[in-house]
Amino acid sequence: MSKLSKKRRVIKRLIKLFFIYYLTLTIYLCYETVFPQILNAYQPQQQIISQAPQETEAEELYKQADRLYKDGQYQEALEKYQQALQIYQLIYRVSENGNQSLSLKIGKTLHSIGAVYNQLANYPQALEYYQQAVKLRRQINDKKGVGSSLNSIGAVYFRQGNYNQALDYLQQALKIRQELGDLVRVARTQNNIAAIYLNKAKYSQALEYYQQALQTFKELGNLQGEAAVINNIGLIYQQLGQYEKSLEWYQQALAIHQQTKNQKGEGDTLNNIGLTYKLLKKYDQALTYYQQALTVRKEIDDKPGIANSLNNIGLVYDQKSEYQTALEYLEQALTIFQQIGNKTEIGRTLDSLGTVYKSIQEYTQAEDYYRQALTIKRNIGDRASERITLSNIGDLLVTKKQPELAIIFYKSSVNVTEAIRQDIQALSLVQKQSYAQKIADTYRSLADLLLQQNRVIEAQKVLDLLKVQELDNYLKNVEGNEQTALGIELLPQEKELLDNYNAIQNQAVQVNEELTKLENILPVNRSVTQQQQITKLEAQKQQIQAKFKNFISNEEIVKILQQLQEKTGGESLDITNLSRLQNILKIKQNAVLLYPLILEDRIELVLVKSNGLPIHRSVPISKIELKNAIFDFRAALTYPRRRISDLAARETGKLLYEWLIKPWEIELLSARTKTIIYAPDGLLRYIPLGALYDGEKWLIEKFNINNITAASLTNFNSKPLDKLRVLAAAFSEGNYQFMVGSREFELSGLQFAGEEIEILAKIIPNTMKLFNQAFSWDEIISRVDKYNILHFATHADFVNGQPEDSFILFGDGSRLTLREITNLSLPNINLAVLSACRTGMGSILQDGSEILGLGYQMQRAGVKASVATLWQVDDRGTQLLMINFYRALKKGNITKAKALREAQLGLITGNVQAEKEANNFKHPYYWAPFILIGDGL
């Protein structure tokens, strides 16, 4: 080929390449300039076309989530809601300006996710999503949605026990719903507010809101709402122990549910009726209603309800000691709860199974179920149930004769309880019914076991916390303080033992989880490897059970136990709390602290002196014997026929002296004791310690007596009164009739009350007198800051059942309940005197909680010490004792306890103002009922 031809081909190729380059450049420039205009015109339509299927997918996911939520499958529901939320948010982000419809859907989905977390008891997450929903709904002015989310936030705070915050949010929701005229939701929120007051034991406020909601539902003809509220009113009466009345309300609710064919409501109300009969210990009737509830719940496939009914039926059979039947029902309940993933109820049902197996002495099974329950409860933060399971493990270890380990679990249970007191969670009604008794039992079991091991310092702390817990059970408002929050010290060796035990437990949980997953695979579908793994895990399970069985005999554990015994045997513990107490006793000069603990077969007595370690004595007297002796003693002190002679009072008082005081005679003498600070237990709160008799003298003739609620709750920092300024009030004329709970009262003015106040005013010149109609709440509150002594001569009645049923009657006919005392602010009041009838107890002897309650409520209001009476006192005798009491106080530089003792000695010796009447008031009926509670030193 010629050179020319070659050149021509190269030139042609270059021209071709140039043309391709030019064409490419042109296309690129068109893409950058012309195409965007076309694309911009086309894109909105394309976006709408692509968005529609996605939004439809999100809506379908939301509907699926709703169905799962209603079936109680919360984890699965959560996943669907979150998927829907992601799609909605993605579509919203690619929208140029967003749109209102999508915002509404996002807000709704956020709210629903919050609802799932609420059901899963993950309250922080629930609050986070509800708050996001509120924020978004406010931005788009979705008032209805805002009200809904605020209502739900209130419900979460309610479940956490943060009642004040709950009320705040619910009141906001109520205001919005009232503005919208959304009466149905107004009534629902009123119903929720009522539930908070119900849990705060403010029954009158709860009833008021329930009645408002009920009235609204009736006016709207909303029968389902009406039935729901009627059911809740039944709960109030059930809480009050008025079971017959609660049954009346439940039956009304049931009739409406059946009329409207609301099977969900019907099942719930039948369940409540069953619970009421269970509380009445009418187990056959309870079973009938529980079975009816089960039938209804099965018809609508209410899986959570079905499991709940099966669980309740199992618990009734447990009460009837039909353990095999109980196990069958509980295992069915467990299976369903596991299927729907309700971990809270899984944990509680596992605990119930453990208790039944313990009853039939299958301890390995019982321990296995307890361990599983404990793990779940800890993981989900169900502390109220966790402390019960810890206590149950303690009970089991006592049965297995492993006291050192039992003490560790009891301590852990008590410490969880004390932590709960700082942040109380709301419990369901059925939990509350069993919770209070179980709590007290745990404290007593721990104190008993510690005393058996001669660990007295620790036992003393437990006894003090027991008093606090009993107060909380009665009043429901005892939050504790820095001392109670510390709970009971877990010693280093105990912590090491617990860590070892937990390590084995964690291993057991892991093996069980792996084994359960593999066993859920049908045998025909299992691979050879999976079957081999099951065999291996079964072998590991047996090894773990052997470790638990031989835990106490393990060489390493034996060594730790020996170290623990060496430490506790010498009581070489952290005695910060003891030192605090002993410093108080030194300051108060020759005082000792006496704690009795009533157990089934004995009384344990603990004495704390101003120096040395606490000591204890055990008196082998059964609880029944003690109860009979207390009843005989009270009868000798109070029955009219017994007042002719004090012989019966001396005889019965001597028996109790032998049990409570004689074991300490040498110690009291060597410590030169002048004052006994007394923290009585149970029925002992109904008898005056000063009226015990040593064969020659009443105890009050030898010592000052100062009752306390609990050392940790008593501030021993008051000083003797200097200048006395008394606000004195009396109900001396008139007559009032009224009902309190189920009790009817007809109370007339006290004959000598007016004269008592007049004489008091002569003794103490700075006395403000209020009589009858002038003796009112408003008058007291408007004047009280100017005085340091409050003296009421009026009727009062304090009963064990409910703080709302205990009251002080004012002269104008109004009443101050024991619950309402806590609303007072009385920081200047050094002494409150209730010189009336039954100001310390009701007519039925139970556990003396009302006496503790009176002292604590006064103390919480700011009062340093209170004087109250243990039975219906004599007007004239009271007048004479009070004259002596205030004359002693007027001397100055005298403690309240010593002044009261001098006044009581005045009646015993006949050294009273009215010489002609001197011999009429020597019987302890006249002087013994007056007790000093709080810091009287």
Side-chain angles (χ1 to χ4, degrees):
M1 182 181 292
S2 66
K3 290 182 180 180
L4 183 61
S5 298
K6 286 182 179 179
K7 286 180 181 179
R8 285 175 180 171
R9 280 200 300 271
V10 170
I11 291 168
K12 284 180 181 179
R13 190 176 294 168
L14 287 171
I15 292 169
K16 188 177 181 181
L17 288 171
F18 178 79
F19 178 80
I20 292 169
Y21 170 76
Y22 180 81
L23 183 62
T24 303
L25 180 62
T26 304
I27 292 169
Y28 174 77
L29 291 172
C30 286
Y31 179 82
E32 285 291 296
T33 56
V34 180
F35 285 6
Q37 296 175 20
I38 298 169
L39 286 170
N40 285 338
Y42 174 75
Q43 194 170 0
Q45 184 179 358
Q46 177 69 26
Q47 187 175 337
I48 291 168
I49 292 169
S50 62
Q51 264 182 227
Q54 288 182 320
E55 195 165 341
T56 302
E57 182 187 353
E59 288 170 358
E60 182 56 36
L61 284 166
Y62 187 91
K63 289 176 184 176
Q64 291 174 23
D66 261 359
R67 287 193 292 270
L68 289 165
Y69 180 87
K70 288 171 184 173
D71 286 341
Q73 298 182 53
Y74 301 121
Q75 201 60 51
E76 293 83 352
L78 181 61
E79 291 172 10
K80 298 290 183 185
Y81 281 134
Q82 286 174 332
Q83 290 172 30
L85 179 64
Q86 288 173 0
I87 295 171
Y88 283 139
Q89 289 176 328
L90 180 62
I91 300 170
Y92 184 86
R93 280 196 294 271
V94 300
S95 301
E96 232 175 80
N97 301 311
N99 74 55
Q100 182 83 358
S101 174
L102 269 174
S103 296
L104 286 168
K105 289 174 182 178
I106 292 171
K108 185 179 178 182
T109 310
L110 287 167
H111 181 93
S112 296
I113 293 173
V116 175
Y117 279 119
N118 188 25
Q119 290 294 337
L120 291 170
N122 189 337
Y123 301 132
Q125 282 286 79
L127 285 172
E128 183 181 333
Y129 277 93
Y130 281 142
Q131 294 285 12
Q132 287 182 46
V134 167
K135 184 178 179 181
L136 178 59
R137 286 170 159 180
R138 278 182 170 148
Q139 287 173 356
I140 60 176
N141 199 30
D142 175 15
K143 283 193 173 183
K144 184 177 177 181
V146 170
S148 180
S149 293
L150 289 171
N151 185 77
S152 295
I153 292 169
V156 174
Y157 281 124
F158 167 66
R159 283 174 176 261
Q160 287 184 305
N162 297 329
Y163 297 135
N164 290 336
Q165 285 175 285
L167 276 174
D168 179 48
Y169 277 95
L170 288 172
Q171 292 288 5
Q172 290 180 54
L174 182 62
K175 184 179 179 182
I176 290 171
R177 290 175 164 183
Q178 286 172 332
E179 287 172 359
L180 292 172
D182 190 347
L183 296 181
V184 171
R185 287 181 173 80
V186 164
R188 287 176 186 167
T189 303
Q190 288 170 335
N191 185 61
N192 291 342
I193 292 171
I196 291 176
Y197 283 121
L198 175 60
N199 277 268
K200 291 182 77 173
K202 294 189 174 182
Y203 300 114
S204 57
Q205 290 98 320
L207 197 55
E208 181 182 343
Y209 273 96
Y210 278 140
Q211 294 287 10
Q212 289 177 28
L214 182 60
Q215 183 64 31
T216 302
F217 283 131
K218 281 184 174 178
E219 288 173 359
L220 294 171
N222 188 321
L223 289 175
Q224 289 194 7
E226 185 181 335
V229 176
I230 290 172
N231 177 80
N232 291 341
I233 292 173
L235 287 176
I236 290 183
Y237 291 108
Q238 192 177 59
Q239 287 257 37
L240 292 170
Q242 295 178 258
Y243 299 127
E244 296 303 325
K245 201 161 186 177
S246 73
L247 286 172
E248 291 174 13
W249 285 91
Y250 287 145
Q251 292 293 355
Q252 288 182 53
L254 181 62
I256 298 173
H257 285 316
Q258 290 172 338
Q259 176 190 339
T260 59
K261 301 190 185 306
N262 179 2
Q263 289 183 289
K264 177 71 170 66
E266 182 182 352
D268 292 345
T269 302
L270 285 167
N271 181 74
N272 287 344
I273 295 172
L275 174 59
T276 304
Y277 281 117
K278 181 175 180 283
L279 295 172
L280 287 165
K281 298 185 178 180
K282 295 181 178 180
Y283 298 124
D284 290 334
Q285 285 164 285
L287 274 177
T288 298
Y289 279 96
Y290 280 150
Q291 292 283 11
Q292 289 179 30
L294 179 61
T295 300
V296 172
R297 286 167 163 176
K298 282 182 174 178
E299 287 175 1
I300 58 173
D301 196 29
D302 176 9
K303 288 186 174 63
I306 291 167
N308 175 258
S309 290
L310 290 168
N311 182 77
N312 290 343
I313 292 168
L315 292 175
V316 171
Y317 278 117
D318 182 47
Q319 290 287 335
K320 288 163 68 72
S321 301
E322 296 181 33
Y323 300 120
Q324 197 54 48
T325 308
L327 287 174
E328 290 170 8
Y329 277 97
L330 289 171
E331 283 164 358
Q332 289 179 59
L334 179 63
T335 300
I336 296 173
F337 283 135
Q338 287 172 333
Q339 288 171 351
I340 64 178
N342 191 325
K343 291 185 178 179
T344 301
E345 295 302 334
I346 290 170
R348 291 171 187 170
T349 306
L350 286 167
D351 182 89
S352 298
L353 283 163
T355 299
V356 178
Y357 276 111
K358 176 177 172 287
S359 298
I360 58 179
Q361 299 182 3
E362 292 191 20
Y363 300 135
T364 302
Q365 281 279 73
E367 192 168 5
D368 187 43
Y369 277 114
Y370 282 146
R371 286 197 307 270
Q372 292 180 56
L374 185 60
T375 301
I376 290 172
K377 290 172 181 183
R378 281 177 170 167
N379 287 344
I380 65 174
D382 185 1
R383 294 182 299 168
S385 296
E386 178 190 348
R387 57 129 350 260
I388 292 173
T389 299
L390 285 166
S391 180
N392 287 340
I393 294 173
D395 292 343
L396 180 63
L397 292 167
V398 169
T399 305
K400 294 174 68 176
K401 302 189 185 309
Q402 297 177 4
E404 293 87 0
L405 276 180
I407 285 171
I408 294 171
F409 279 92
Y410 283 145
K411 279 187 174 184
S412 299
S413 177
V414 166
N415 289 341
V416 172
T417 307
E418 295 305 323
I420 290 172
R421 197 191 315 286
Q422 308 306 311
D423 180 24
I424 299 169
Q425 288 186 344
L427 302 176
S428 69
L429 179 61
V430 68
Q431 286 176 277
K432 286 178 182 174
Q433 299 291 346
S434 61
Y435 185 60
Q437 184 60 46
K438 187 63 186 177
I439 286 170
D441 287 348
T442 303
Y443 285 73
R444 289 179 182 278
S445 297
L446 176 55
D448 180 9
L449 211 49
L450 287 167
L451 290 171
Q452 287 182 42
Q453 303 295 310
N454 204 33
R455 293 164 64 172
V456 187
I457 295 176
E458 295 169 279
Q460 180 273 321
K461 181 71 181 294
V462 177
L463 292 173
D464 203 58
L465 290 176
L466 173 62
K467 307 291 185 280
V468 179
Q469 184 57 59
E470 288 176 328
L471 268 173
D472 196 27
N473 290 345
Y474 180 59
L475 295 171
K476 304 292 189 294
N477 67 353
V478 183
E479 297 173 358
N481 53 34
E482 291 180 3
Q483 294 176 51
T484 61
L486 296 173
I488 304 297
E489 177 191 17
L490 206 62
L491 306 179
Q493 292 82 1
E494 289 178 325
K495 189 176 184 307
E496 192 174 354
L497 285 168
L498 190 59
D499 288 343
N500 276 276
Y501 190 93
N502 285 339
I504 305 173
Q505 178 179 325
N506 293 338
Q507 187 182 355
V509 169
Q510 185 179 348
V511 168
N512 277 338
E513 285 179 354
E514 291 180 29
L515 195 56
T516 300
K517 287 179 184 176
L518 290 169
E519 287 177 340
N520 284 338
I521 303 171
L522 292 172
V524 293
N525 296 331
R526 291 175 196 159
S527 67
V528 174
T529 304
Q530 287 171 333
Q531 190 58 52
Q532 289 173 344
Q533 182 66 11
I534 287 174
T535 304
K536 182 182 175 182
L537 290 169
E538 287 285 4
Q540 288 180 10
K541 187 175 180 179
Q542 293 299 319
Q543 290 169 5
I544 291 167
Q545 287 177 349
K547 283 183 182 180
F548 277 119
K549 186 176 181 180
N550 301 319
F551 182 81
I552 207 76
S553 58
N554 178 281
E555 187 177 335
E556 185 182 349
I557 301 303
V558 168
K559 185 178 178 181
I560 299 170
L561 284 170
Q562 287 173 346
Q563 294 172 354
L564 177 62
Q565 288 162 359
E566 288 171 11
K567 186 177 182 69
T568 58
E571 293 279 13
S572 55
L573 308 169
D574 178 5
I575 56 173
T576 305
N577 178 61
L578 176 63
S579 298
R580 186 190 72 84
L581 277 177
Q582 291 183 325
N583 286 334
I584 290 167
L585 297 176
K586 286 174 186 174
I587 293 168
K588 297 305 179 182
Q589 300 177 357
N590 305 99
V592 297
L593 181 61
L594 177 61
Y595 278 95
L597 174 68
I598 301 172
L599 298 168
E600 289 299 326
D601 59 347
R602 67 194 188 283
I603 309 170
E604 291 285 353
L605 301 166
V606 174
L607 187 75
V608 182
K609 300 185 294 181
S610 61
N611 55 63
L613 295 174
I615 49 180
H616 98 279
R617 300 279 188 272
S618 185
V619 181
I621 299 298
S622 73
K623 197 172 184 179
I624 297 298
E625 285 181 275
L626 177 64
K627 180 179 179 180
N628 291 336
I630 289 171
F631 276 42
D632 290 344
F633 186 43
R634 276 189 60 86
L637 293 173
T638 60
Y639 281 15
R641 292 181 183 176
R642 299 290 184 92
R643 298 177 206 161
I644 298 169
S645 167
D646 62 11
L647 180 61
R650 291 172 188 267
E651 289 175 350
T652 53
K654 190 172 187 300
L655 180 61
L656 287 162
Y657 179 92
E658 295 284 330
W659 295 342
L660 299 175
I661 304 299
K662 192 173 179 61
W664 306 114
E665 283 184 331
I666 295 173
E667 284 77 8
L668 293 174
L669 183 64
S670 64
R672 297 181 180 178
T673 304
K674 292 183 179 178
T675 301
I676 297 175
I677 301 173
Y678 183 48
D681 183 37
L683 283 171
L684 289 172
R685 294 170 186 143
Y686 293 116
I687 60 171
L689 193 69
L692 302 190
Y693 190 68
D694 70 355
E696 296 180 4
K697 292 181 178 180
W698 306 107
L699 193 65
I700 196 66
E701 295 182 83
K702 300 164 69 174
F703 305 105
N704 302 317
I705 308 294
N706 189 157
N707 282 30
I708 59 170
T709 52
S712 58
L713 294 180
T714 305
N715 296 317
F716 292 95
N717 57 6
S718 65
K719 297 177 181 178
L721 288 158
D722 44 16
K723 187 176 181 180
L724 307 183
R725 302 181 304 280
V726 184
L727 177 58
F731 170 42
S732 59
E733 296 177 359
N735 183 281
Y736 298 109
Q737 292 180 308
F738 52 87
M739 293 285 295
V740 176
S742 59
R743 299 179 302 149
E744 186 174 353
F745 289 87
E746 184 174 353
L747 299 175
S748 301
L750 298 168
Q751 183 181 357
F752 292 98
E755 188 178 337
E756 178 183 318
I757 299 302
E758 292 290 2
I759 296 173
L760 192 162
K762 290 178 182 178
I763 298 170
I764 312 295
N766 294 315
T767 297
M768 177 67 199
K769 299 177 291 182
L770 299 173
F771 295 102
N772 303 316
Q773 290 298 319
F775 175 15
S776 67
W777 171 268
D778 290 340
E779 287 293 332
I780 296 294
I781 293 302
S782 65
R783 301 173 185 274
V784 73
D785 288 344
K786 300 175 184 176
Y787 302 91
N788 56 13
I789 295 178
L790 202 58
H791 183 105
F792 290 167
T794 182
H795 293 282
D797 199 66
F798 288 84
V799 296
N800 190 277
Q802 297 292 336
E804 287 70 26
D805 292 346
S806 299
F807 64 87
I808 299 169
L809 178 67
F810 290 167
D812 66 345
S814 60
R815 301 186 299 277
L816 177 69
T817 70
L818 182 56
R819 173 81 63 202
E820 291 167 338
I821 290 174
T822 193
N823 297 327
L824 298 175
S825 179
L826 307 171
N828 299 326
I829 300 298
N830 198 296
L831 174 66
V833 178
L834 305 177
S835 66
C837 58
R838 290 197 300 237
T839 52
M841 59 150 289
S843 57
I844 300 173
L845 308 188
Q846 292 187 25
D847 66 358
S849 297
E850 68 278 19
I851 300 171
L852 278 179
L854 172 63
Y856 175 75
Q857 292 292 69
M858 283 292 188
Q859 185 175 317
R860 189 173 177 185
V863 177
K864 307 300 183 296
S866 308
V867 173
T869 59
L870 290 173
W871 55 77
Q872 187 167 338
V873 295
D874 176 81
D875 285 359
R876 182 59 174 157
T878 299
Q879 182 192 93
L880 296 174
L881 184 137
M882 285 298 155
I883 290 169
N884 278 10
F885 177 57
Y886 282 105
R887 280 179 172 167
L889 283 178
K890 190 181 178 182
K891 295 176 188 176
N893 197 30
I894 186 172
T895 67
K896 296 178 278 290
K898 188 175 181 182
L900 181 59
R901 176 172 175 253
E902 286 190 9
Q904 291 172 315
L905 291 177
L907 293 186
I908 293 170
T909 60
N911 182 20
V912 294
Q913 182 188 37
E915 297 295 337
K916 293 180 181 179
E917 300 177 89
N919 293 324
N920 296 340
F921 303 104
K922 291 183 177 181
H923 193 284
Y925 163 76
Y926 299 101
W927 55 262
F930 299 91
I931 60 169
L932 183 72
I933 309 172
D935 181 11
L937 305 179

